């Protein structure tokens, strides 16, 4: 790593004032301040831009993008506990607590579980692949940057824009969901704007505290959500086993309810396939550990553990809790979300408790849903602002937009401002069409995650191909994906199949013969809106740049810029020593280290 790259990670509050005379603020992102300055002056100065040295104009676009994202002056304040809770916090939200209701209604309890179980398998492959890449390249923008470096410039443009749009719409989407949740208590419409404004303000203020404030907030939010899910699981098991006087068991899986929705095999298949849209929305955020790598103090130590543990926690929380939801709530229950704009306030978790006479807890669950909104909204501002910054650093955005602006506190302040302003769309919650707004915003963000996850696994495949083509091997990797390249191929293959199945479901939904043409068109775009957006971005960039290559040749791929450990031989020696130490430990410790 160059001196410039090393300097790029210091900020003005980390420099001794005695060194101020030797620092050039034009060529270095390092700043000094006088100890006599007031706290208010320090606060104002923290919003000033960190200036970095201009890049060599003779560099290629790919080289400029790699260097710019590698030396981004974001602060490294995230720890292991933050990373684990960030991933969980981004993945446990209204998608689980609220969105799963519509999936239960359209697919039945068995279809709901099948959809989420299949999603969990490629989520495992994605997280492992991302962990390997993020440990080696903890750069600004994370995997969106990898798409440009390891696949193709146009693919990187589409991936960056897709991911930014996904999180851009998630913020108002989550706050609209919060307004739906507040309806549960019969909140008068005239107070709804007040709740929306409160949620929006809290989310924006948290992100103004920088990455440390974001990390601590996510840590607290996620603990509350995880506690709620664990409590629901314990309560749900007791209810299913007859704690309220009558044994429930698999009652709602049998006649007259049925495990699936539909009278024919085709209808049941379509119902199950429809789950993938809501599952993708619900699992969105699992990849945040990779995006946060650039702001992690020691990614080599913390990311592998976070990547592996996050999968197990999310899978257990989702699969177990949704199994209990399917056992406690009939898919024919008219209170499930999507039935009407009035009943949309109740989540299946709340319905499960209310239906079996549990008092008090339904309101607690709704409070936790509101906290989940804050958590996912917090992640939305964080993810979108960092993606927009990396988008500009890679040369995709006009210079006048200043999207790469990072202040002295390490905040991509322009990205935060744009995301926050777009979040004001949440005030549409006061409209009678809030249910429609929820559906369309969910359509924009639903399949976007599948594109991102597929892109991550494609980047992993291309990275491993480049190692081989350049005469190098995986011995130089600090962390190797437990699922390997085979897992990435599997995950990418399943995602392609899901897109094909989703197209069929979107174009020919269940009961389409009885539907009008406009209803079929509305259903198609609610399910498949992300696909044409990404396709237009990809082809549009190809045409604009007149770049018709499919991907960067493996032999020419840059697989060194951005690494924090640049002495490969020393790194190999450290890895070999760590493996020897692990091999000397008891079998149960080796198994735990492999899985967690």
């Amino acid at each position: 790593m160059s001196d410039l790259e090393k300097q790029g990670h210091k900020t003005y509050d980390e420099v001794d004032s005695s060194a101020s005379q030797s620092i050039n603020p034009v060529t270095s992102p390092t700043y000094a301040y006088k100890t006599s300055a007031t706290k208010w002056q320090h606060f104002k100065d923290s919003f000033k831009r960190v200036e970095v040295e201009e890049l060599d104009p003779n560099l290629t676009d790919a080289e400029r993008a790699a260097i710019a994202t590698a030396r981004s002056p974001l602060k490294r304040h995230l720890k292991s506990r933050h990373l684990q809770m960030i991933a969980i916090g981004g993945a446990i939200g209204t998608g689980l607590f609220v969105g799963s209701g519509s999936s239960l209604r359209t697919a039945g309890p068995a279809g709901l579980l099948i959809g989420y179980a299949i999603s969990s398998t490629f989520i495992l492959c994605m997280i492992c692949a991302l962990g390997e890449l993020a440990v080696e390249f903890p750069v600004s923008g994370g995997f969106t940057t990898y798409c440009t470096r390891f696949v193709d410039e146009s693919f990187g443009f589409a991936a960056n824009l897709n991911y930014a749009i996904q999180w851009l719409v998630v913020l108002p989407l989550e706050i609209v969901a919060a307004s739906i949740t507040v309806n549960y208590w019969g909140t008068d419409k005239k107070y709804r704007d007040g709740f929306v404004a409160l949620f929006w303000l809290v989310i924006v203020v948290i992100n103004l505290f920088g990455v440390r404030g974001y990390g601590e907030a996510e840590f607290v939010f996620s603990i509350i959500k995880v506690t709620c899910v664990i409590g629901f699981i314990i309560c749900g098991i007791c209810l299913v086993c007859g704690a309220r006087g009558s044994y429930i068991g698999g009652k709602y899986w049998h006649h007259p309810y049925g495990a699936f929705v539909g009278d024919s095999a085709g209808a049941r298949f379509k119902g199950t396939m429809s789950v993938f849209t809501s599952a993708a929305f619900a699992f969105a955020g699992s990849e945040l550990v990779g995006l946060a790598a650039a702001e992690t103090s020691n990614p080599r130590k913390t990311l592998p553990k976070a990547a592996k543990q996050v999968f197990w926690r999310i899978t257990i929380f989702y699969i177990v809790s949704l199994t209990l939801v399917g056992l406690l709530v009939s898919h024919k229950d008219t209170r499930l979300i999507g039935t009407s704009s009035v009943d949309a306030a109740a989540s299946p978790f709340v319905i499960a408790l209310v239906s079996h006479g549990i008092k008090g807890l339904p309101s607690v669950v709704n409070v936790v849903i509101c906290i989940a909104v804050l958590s996912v909204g917090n992640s939305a501002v964080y993810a979108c602002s960092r993606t927009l910054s990396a988008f500009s650093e890679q040369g995709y955005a006009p210079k006048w937009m200043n999207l790469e602006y990072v202040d002295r506190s390490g905040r991509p302040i322009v990205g935060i401002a744009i995301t926050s302003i777009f979040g004001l769309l949440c005030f549409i919650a006061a409209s009678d069409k809030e249910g429609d707004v929820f559906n369309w915003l969910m359509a924009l963000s639903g399949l976007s995650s599948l594109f991102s996850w597929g892109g991550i696994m494609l980047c992993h495949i291309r990275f491993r191909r480049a190692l081989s083509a350049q005469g190098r091997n995986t011995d130089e990797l600090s962390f190797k994906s437990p699922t390997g390249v085979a897992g990435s191929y599997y995950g990418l293959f399943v995602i392609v199949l899901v897109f094909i199945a989703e197209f069929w479901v979107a174009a020919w939904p269940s009961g389409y013969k009885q539907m009008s043409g406009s209803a079929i068109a509305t259903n198609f775009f609610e399910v498949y809106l992300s696909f044409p957006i990404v396709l237009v971005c990809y082809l549009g960039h190809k045409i604009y740049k007149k770049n018709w290559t499919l991907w960067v040749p493996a032999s020419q791929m840059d697989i060194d810029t951005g690494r924090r450990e640049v002495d490969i031989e020393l790194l190999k020696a450290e890895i070999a020593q760590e493996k020897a130490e692990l091999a000397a430990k008891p079998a149960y410790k080796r198994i735990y280290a492999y899985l967690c």
Side-chain angles (χ1 to χ4, degrees):
M1 182 180 292
S2 67
D3 291 339
L4 174 62
E5 289 181 65
K6 291 177 181 177
Q7 272 191 326
H9 297 291
K10 292 183 180 180
T11 53
Y12 77 104
D13 58 342
E14 297 171 318
V15 181
D16 190 331
S17 59
S18 63
S20 61
Q21 299 300 318
S22 63
I23 293 172
N24 184 345
V26 176
T27 60
S28 171
T30 310
Y31 278 83
Y33 62 85
K34 296 180 180 180
T35 54
S36 59
T38 64
K39 290 184 178 180
W40 173 246
Q41 187 63 42
H42 290 165
F43 173 75
K44 290 194 299 180
D45 287 346
S46 71
F47 288 93
K48 292 182 179 179
R49 183 173 190 158
V50 173
E51 299 293 341
V52 294
E53 184 180 297
E54 290 292 330
L55 294 174
D56 185 345
N58 297 317
L59 294 173
T60 65
D61 290 343
E63 290 171 336
R64 290 176 64 86
I67 294 173
T69 52
R71 70 174 191 179
S72 180
L74 298 171
K75 283 196 172 183
R76 299 174 179 175
H77 284 163
L78 292 178
K79 300 177 182 178
S80 179
R81 64 184 177 89
H82 294 138
L83 280 184
Q84 293 179 34
M85 288 302 176
I86 283 170
I88 295 173
I92 297 181
T94 52
L96 173 65
F97 291 122
V98 182
S100 58
S102 60
S103 295
L104 177 61
R105 183 169 176 267
T106 57
L112 175 68
L113 277 184
I114 290 172
Y116 274 86
I118 293 176
S119 297
S120 296
T121 61
F122 60 73
I123 287 291
L124 168 62
C125 298
M126 181 275 296
I127 288 180
C128 290
L130 178 59
E132 179 180 309
L133 292 172
V135 168
E136 296 305 314
F137 306 96
V139 298
S140 172
F143 58 88
T144 61
T145 304
Y146 307 152
C147 291
T148 300
R149 292 176 61 175
F150 302 149
V151 184
D152 170 59
E153 186 182 12
S154 298
F155 186 78
F157 175 80
N160 274 264
L161 204 54
N162 168 68
Y163 197 65
I165 291 174
Q166 173 189 335
W167 286 108
L168 198 63
V169 302
V170 161
L171 179 57
L173 171 62
E174 290 296 321
I175 299 179
V176 168
S179 73
I180 293 175
T181 304
V182 170
N183 290 345
Y184 177 79
W185 293 291
T187 305
D188 195 288
K189 268 196 171 184
K190 64 182 180 181
Y191 300 121
R192 201 172 303 166
D193 277 351
F195 279 101
V196 168
L198 177 62
F199 285 122
W200 180 87
L201 184 62
V202 170
I203 291 169
V204 172
V205 169
I206 288 173
N207 277 272
L208 289 179
F209 279 95
V211 66
R212 181 174 289 168
Y214 162 75
E216 293 297 344
E218 278 305 291
F219 185 76
V220 174
F221 290 155
S222 295
I223 287 177
I224 295 173
K225 290 187 293 182
V226 167
T227 302
C228 176
V229 174
I230 292 174
F232 175 83
I233 289 173
I234 295 172
C235 181
I237 291 173
C238 294
L239 291 174
V240 170
C241 294
R244 296 294 292 179
S246 60
Y247 175 74
I248 299 173
K251 170 184 174 181
Y252 294 120
W253 284 58
H254 302 292
H255 183 78
Y257 304 102
F260 295 92
V261 174
D263 299 325
S264 64
R268 291 169 185 157
F269 179 77
K270 286 183 178 178
T272 302
M273 289 299 101
S274 68
V275 174
F276 284 103
T277 302
S278 60
F281 171 71
F283 279 119
S286 305
E287 73 289 339
L288 280 174
V289 286
L291 188 68
E295 296 172 89
T296 303
S297 56
N298 190 349
R300 186 185 160 207
K301 296 292 184 183
T302 58
L303 272 172
K305 186 176 294 186
K308 289 184 285 188
Q309 290 186 0
V310 160
F311 167 76
W312 293 113
R313 292 175 183 181
I314 291 176
T315 301
I316 291 172
F317 294 150
Y318 270 80
I319 300 302
V320 174
S321 62
L322 290 178
T323 298
L324 291 169
V325 163
L327 292 172
L328 294 170
V329 181
S330 165
H331 65 79
K332 296 183 179 180
D333 196 307
T334 57
R335 293 169 295 178
L336 287 173
I337 188 168
T339 306
S340 72
S341 60
V342 177
D343 297 327
S347 84
F349 288 76
V350 174
I351 293 173
L353 297 173
V354 171
S355 299
H356 296 89
I358 304 297
K359 297 181 179 179
L361 286 182
S363 290
V364 172
V365 172
N366 271 279
V367 170
V368 174
I369 292 174
C370 291
I371 292 173
V373 167
L374 291 176
S375 176
V376 180
N378 191 27
S379 296
V381 176
Y382 175 84
C384 188
S385 61
R386 270 64 181 178
T387 304
L388 288 175
S389 178
F391 185 75
S392 183
E393 287 169 346
Q394 294 173 77
Y396 292 134
K399 283 293 182 183
W400 60 265
M401 294 186 71
N402 274 326
L403 292 179
E404 74 279 9
Y405 187 112
V406 176
D407 66 21
R408 297 179 184 180
S409 291
R411 297 169 297 201
I413 203 69
V414 175
I416 291 174
I418 290 174
T419 311
S420 302
I421 292 170
F422 190 86
L424 293 174
L425 279 178
C426 61
F427 285 100
I428 201 71
S431 167
D432 293 333
K433 299 292 184 179
E434 65 176 359
D436 294 335
V437 172
F438 185 92
N439 290 335
W440 281 107
L441 289 176
M442 189 171 178
L444 272 172
S445 62
L447 292 181
S448 294
S449 292
L450 290 173
F451 279 107
S452 298
W453 299 335
I456 290 168
M457 288 181 278
L458 179 59
C459 288
H460 182 235
I461 293 169
R462 295 289 300 151
F463 170 66
R464 287 290 190 94
R465 176 73 186 90
L467 276 178
S468 176
Q470 297 180 26
R472 296 158 70 170
N473 55 48
T474 57
D475 290 343
E476 67 182 63
L477 302 182
S478 302
F479 170 68
K480 287 182 283 190
S481 167
T483 57
V485 180
S488 293
Y489 273 112
Y490 161 78
L492 187 58
F493 177 70
V494 172
I495 285 178
V496 170
L497 292 182
V498 170
F499 272 118
I500 294 172
E502 286 296 308
F503 180 82
W504 181 44
V505 171
W508 296 279
S510 298
Y512 72 94
K513 293 182 179 179
Q514 289 76 43
M515 296 171 64
S516 65
S518 60
I520 293 176
T522 299
N523 178 81
F524 177 83
F525 285 108
E526 282 186 351
V527 174
Y528 224 69
L529 185 58
S530 298
F531 189 89
I533 291 176
V534 173
L535 191 61
V536 167
C537 290
Y538 178 76
L539 295 178
H541 190 270
K542 284 285 185 190
I543 294 170
Y544 178 74
K545 285 286 189 177
K546 296 182 174 60
N547 171 25
W548 305 111
T549 57
L550 189 59
W551 49 49
V552 179
S555 59
Q556 301 174 20
M557 197 180 296
D558 181 0
I559 55 175
D560 289 309
T561 303
R563 288 191 173 192
R564 291 194 187 171
E565 288 85 6
V566 294
D567 190 333
I568 300 298
E569 294 306 317
L570 178 61
L571 179 62
K572 286 182 178 180
E574 291 178 356
I575 293 172
Q577 182 181 352
E578 290 170 1
K579 286 182 178 179
E581 291 174 355
L582 180 62
K585 292 182 179 180
Y588 72 92
K589 287 190 176 181
R590 296 198 303 271
I591 294 172
Y592 179 81
Y594 179 80
L595 296 176
C596 303

